[in-house]
Amino acid sequence: MDSTPHTFHIPVMGTGHSADTPIRLAHFGISSVISIVDDLLLERLGKYYSEKYEVLYPPIPRNAVDGRSRRITAYLNLVLDIVERHMEKIKSEPFFQDNDKRKYFDMLPDEAPLKKDYDRMLAMKSGTEKDRLAAALTDQMRAGSIDVNIMVKLDRPRFDENGMPMEDYSDAKTALKGFANSRLNSGIVFSAGINKGLFRYMSRFKDFYRDETGRMNKRIILKVSDFRSSLIQGRFLAQHGLEISEYRIESGLNCGGHAFASNGVLLPAILREYKENRAKLGTDFQSLILKHYQKMGWFYPDPSTISPPIVTVQGGIGNHGEDRRLREYFGMDRTGWGTPFLLVPEATCVDAETRELMRRAGKNDLYLSDISPLGVPFNLVRNTGSVNWTRNKIACGKPGSGCPKGFLALNTELTEKPICPASREFQTMKLKKIVSDCESDAEKAALSTTVLEKTCLCDHLGNGILIGLGIADKKKSPPLVCPGPNLAWFNGIYSLREMVNHIYGRCPSLVPAERPHMFANEIVMYVDYFEKLIQGAGNEAREIKALQDYKANLEQGMDLCLAISKGSEYPGENMASVAPCVETQRARLNRIWRCAGFDCGRACDESGEPLVVAC
């Protein structure tokens, strides 16, 4: 676990919105995550911040040898330099003044030993003992961890001048290399599944292994959706001697960005499984790791001295009561708070117009869209500059993007070389094919709409920070933002202190008391998603069996939420909203099932064979 005394972290938010978050607040001891997908964006940010802090930052040409990894390394090292500069300054500040040092200690959680010692010092009389404690407190101040994120599915292959693939230069591998070669002592978050080639490649970098003192300079953090995937990925990595420092659980739907829905398994059910079985995460792979170290002739400390991996959770948390529920009832080590920090200018960089759009966004303004070229549902707020830009391009008869970066150029449906479904090239070809292949005007219109929805995430997700810093013109750089649905309950622009105090329950709640519990909100989202699955389902036994399993899992999750709601409630936690939600959504779930005809011949038995049921 990193050394921050805080009980929360700020997850990655798009390619740009948390890209400079460590510069903004790591010196307050708060950990955050930078996306390292877009090296071109990071270089532009590096140029901006190097000029601001008067640091030499030579440009790396786009066609430079190994330029992608070098750009990522350069930016991460620059961020580290700036954070270290901030830490030196804040440590040098005096106590007992209204400055950032006081802010550092004021924002710490009340139960943190460092905060207790600080409060004790404030109450002490002047003298040697007080001076000694003040020096000790200053010495214990630590910056938050500067973690990075790779979405492992974004692994576009690269080709040499002869069209041959360059195995070690795919996008994910070069991003990993950029982090591995940096001076950061922090974690890399792997999200969106498993990439065995990438994980094998990681074994080339010694920083991911323990040194002669038993420490690792680079930590592995897995963003996971269920316990089974944790075991699978943990075992694969252990075969290469790689240890996981943190399992980061995320709600499949109650989150920002891409939404990877579970098969109807709700977050409380997932957390319960981790709570009951988490010991396996620290013991099941130990022999494989030891075997690898022995084979390599490396030192490995006494396993009994090794701390087990921590388990954290994020997605849709709205108040202190829910935060305590996750940490105390389910035993999570830390929580992740993302979307609310999009309304905190001290923490994230978003252009003013988009920030105001989010501030005003209500429940109906936030939705799960189909704009992602990956074909994965994508959380969105209505009427962003990007969405309006896409509509205007369609209206002008020039749909699609020029694909300036190509990180999502992974589709080979129409071309031998991968291209992006949001690109002008793909959409032009695909629309022509639809016209030639389809006879029905209704079918042509429906398929065309699906094609035209795809939006340039690579470029647009980074534009908000460029506009916010004055690097880009909003007229030429349409911004896109991808908050989670939890944003609907936050309607202000907040200071960092306000948001931290909200998380720790030290101020009036920033969300209204009537806001439904995060568990209730997730139930509604999963029933909504189930309805979409039903609408697109056919009559194949495999599809019907999957829907049956989804429904059964969802019903079991509802039962668990109902049982939890009957227990004691943490202060500020609206647990009273759970039971009415379960009752309403269970009835709705069964109504959706019935209306789709699954009680009239479309159900399956346990083996997956269709059952014929008389209506």
Side-chain angles (χ1 to χ4, degrees):
M1 186 174 183
D2 63 60
S3 58
T4 175
H6 284 282
T7 62
F8 73 94
H9 63 263
I10 300 177
V12 67
M13 285 180 276
T15 57
H17 297 121
S18 61
D20 66 350
T21 295
I23 293 174
R24 294 168 179 268
L25 50 64
H27 53 289
F28 292 118
I30 299 171
S31 298
S32 59
V33 186
I34 297 172
S35 169
I36 53 174
V37 165
D38 190 346
D39 58 300
L40 304 175
L41 171 66
L42 297 183
E43 180 161 58
R44 296 181 74 179
L45 298 179
K47 181 177 184 297
Y48 171 87
Y49 278 109
S50 64
E51 292 174 355
K52 179 175 180 178
Y53 287 91
E54 299 180 340
V55 177
L56 184 65
Y57 196 78
I60 301 171
R62 188 162 181 171
N63 60 351
V65 175
D66 205 17
R68 175 170 164 77
S69 72
R70 289 166 54 199
R71 280 187 285 274
I72 291 169
T73 300
Y75 181 71
L76 296 180
N77 286 341
L78 175 66
V79 172
L80 178 60
D81 288 341
I82 295 171
V83 170
E84 288 177 341
R85 184 184 299 189
H86 286 169
M87 283 306 300
E88 288 178 13
K89 179 179 180 297
I90 198 173
K91 282 186 172 185
S92 69
E93 292 177 342
F95 282 108
F96 313 112
Q97 291 186 16
D98 188 12
N99 54 24
D100 281 347
K101 191 170 194 174
R102 176 178 175 178
K103 187 174 177 180
Y104 178 100
F105 284 97
D106 282 351
M107 289 196 298
L108 293 175
D110 294 339
E111 65 271 19
L114 194 62
K115 179 65 171 289
K116 291 180 179 179
D117 284 344
Y118 173 71
D119 289 339
R120 184 163 61 89
M121 185 203 67
L122 293 181
M124 292 171 68
K125 294 181 179 180
S126 298
T128 304
E129 187 179 350
K130 184 172 186 176
D131 293 342
R132 188 181 298 116
L133 181 53
L137 288 170
T138 299
D139 188 56
Q140 292 178 68
M141 294 174 71
R142 297 287 185 273
S145 186
I146 307 168
D147 297 328
V148 303
N149 176 263
I150 290 179
M151 189 173 175
V152 299
K153 292 183 184 297
L154 300 186
D155 199 13
R156 174 182 49 162
R158 299 288 181 140
F159 302 89
D160 63 20
E161 57 188 15
N162 298 315
M164 299 299 293
M166 297 188 293
E167 181 63 27
D168 291 344
Y169 289 88
S170 66
D171 279 357
K173 287 180 179 176
T174 47
L176 173 65
K177 183 179 181 180
F179 170 67
N181 288 337
S182 75
R183 292 187 291 105
L184 289 181
N185 183 344
S186 62
I188 182 167
V189 183
F190 293 110
S191 61
I194 184 170
N195 181 331
K196 291 184 177 181
L198 178 66
F199 289 174
R200 290 191 193 97
Y201 182 71
M202 183 165 44
S203 66
R204 300 185 188 183
F205 300 97
K206 195 67 170 65
D207 266 10
F208 291 104
Y209 295 95
R210 296 186 183 274
D211 61 19
E212 61 277 3
T213 68
R215 296 188 61 191
M216 292 181 290
N217 287 323
K218 302 286 193 296
R219 295 177 290 107
I220 299 171
I221 302 171
L222 285 187
K223 189 185 288 187
V224 290
S225 57
D226 57 60
F227 192 78
R228 180 174 174 271
S229 69
S230 297
L231 293 178
I232 291 171
Q233 294 182 74
R235 185 171 294 109
F236 182 84
L237 288 165
Q239 290 170 354
H240 298 275
L242 295 164
E243 300 172 68
I244 298 168
S245 296
E246 177 184 342
Y247 292 89
R248 189 164 287 188
I249 307 164
E250 183 173 68
S251 169
L253 291 178
N254 199 3
C255 61
H258 286 95
F260 296 92
S262 70
N263 186 25
V265 182
L266 297 175
L267 184 62
I270 295 169
L271 296 179
R272 181 178 63 176
E273 187 172 13
Y274 276 91
K275 181 179 180 179
E276 294 173 350
N277 299 289
R278 65 179 295 172
K280 291 183 177 181
L281 301 175
T283 59
D284 275 19
F285 318 126
Q286 198 70 56
S287 62
L288 291 172
I289 294 167
L290 283 170
K291 184 178 179 181
H292 184 85
Y293 273 74
Q294 289 168 357
K295 183 180 74 174
M296 300 300 294
W298 296 340
F299 164 77
Y300 194 83
D302 180 353
S304 65
T305 66
I306 301 297
S307 300
I310 68 168
V311 184
T312 65
V313 61
Q314 60 197 41
I317 311 168
N319 59 44
H320 178 58
E322 293 175 354
D323 187 274
R324 287 186 62 187
R325 170 71 58 183
L326 299 172
R327 290 188 294 109
E328 298 176 22
Y329 181 86
F330 286 105
M332 296 292 105
D333 295 290
R334 194 165 59 203
T335 56
W337 287 67
T339 290
F341 277 100
L342 289 171
L343 297 175
V344 181
E346 291 172 77
T348 57
C349 192
V350 183
D351 63 283
E353 188 175 327
T354 301
R355 183 111 59 191
E356 178 62 14
L357 182 72
M358 289 191 290
R359 186 193 69 78
R360 291 186 283 104
K363 185 177 179 180
N364 293 331
D365 297 310
L366 299 154
Y367 67 107
L368 205 55
S369 75
D370 294 315
I371 71 166
S372 173
L374 291 177
V376 178
F378 190 76
N379 279 294
L380 205 61
V381 60
R382 298 188 192 281
N383 296 319
T384 61
S386 170
V387 171
N388 293 334
W389 179 90
T390 301
R391 289 173 183 159
N392 290 336
K393 296 288 286 185
I394 295 169
C396 293
K398 297 179 180 180
S401 163
C403 203
K405 295 179 178 176
F407 297 120
L408 297 180
L410 304 169
N411 188 291
T412 56
E413 177 188 350
L414 302 173
T415 55
E416 186 174 340
K417 183 179 178 181
I419 58 176
C420 178
S423 69
R424 187 174 303 121
E425 180 183 8
F426 178 91
Q427 293 191 3
T428 299
M429 288 190 291
K430 186 66 175 178
L431 291 172
K432 287 180 180 178
K433 191 172 188 302
I434 290 171
V435 170
S436 64
D437 291 354
C438 300
E439 295 181 3
S440 161
D441 288 342
E443 185 181 9
K444 288 179 184 178
L447 292 174
S448 296
T449 297
T450 301
V451 171
L452 295 172
E453 268 188 305
K454 305 306 178 192
T455 300
C456 182
L457 302 189
C458 296
D459 199 42
H460 295 187
L461 275 174
N463 285 338
I465 189 171
L466 295 176
I467 299 168
L469 294 175
I471 300 172
D473 182 350
K474 67 179 181 180
K475 293 180 181 179
K476 299 178 181 179
S477 305
L480 181 65
V481 67
C482 49
N486 196 34
L487 179 73
W489 302 98
F490 293 86
N491 59 9
I493 303 299
Y494 310 106
S495 71
L496 178 61
R497 194 189 295 265
E498 279 181 299
M499 187 57 69
V500 172
N501 284 340
H502 170 73
I503 292 171
Y504 291 143
R506 297 189 296 223
C507 66
S509 178
L510 300 181
V511 297
E514 63 270 19
R515 171 188 170 275
H517 195 281
M518 62 179 292
F519 295 166
N521 287 328
E522 189 190 44
I523 289 170
V524 176
M525 292 171 203
Y526 268 93
V527 176
D528 288 345
Y529 194 76
F530 182 71
E531 187 169 28
K532 289 184 179 180
L533 292 177
I534 289 283
Q535 291 168 353
N539 288 309
E540 292 186 13
R542 178 176 54 82
E543 286 183 275
I544 299 171
K545 180 64 167 62
L547 290 171
Q548 278 186 316
D549 291 343
Y550 185 112
K551 182 174 182 289
N553 290 335
L554 189 47
E555 289 176 323
Q556 289 174 11
M558 289 181 184
D559 290 339
L560 176 59
C561 289
L562 197 58
I564 293 171
S565 72
K566 293 176 181 177
S568 58
E569 184 177 71
Y570 290 100
E573 188 183 28
N574 186 8
M575 196 54 84
S577 64
V578 172
C581 174
V582 169
E583 181 181 1
T584 301
Q585 295 304 316
R586 195 191 299 275
R588 182 179 163 221
L589 180 68
N590 289 323
R591 185 167 61 250
I592 292 168
W593 184 259
R594 271 195 320 274
C595 291
F598 285 94
D599 287 343
C600 303
R602 290 178 71 185
C604 294
D605 62 22
E606 291 183 358
S607 67
E609 292 300 315
L611 292 172
V612 177
V613 182
C615 293

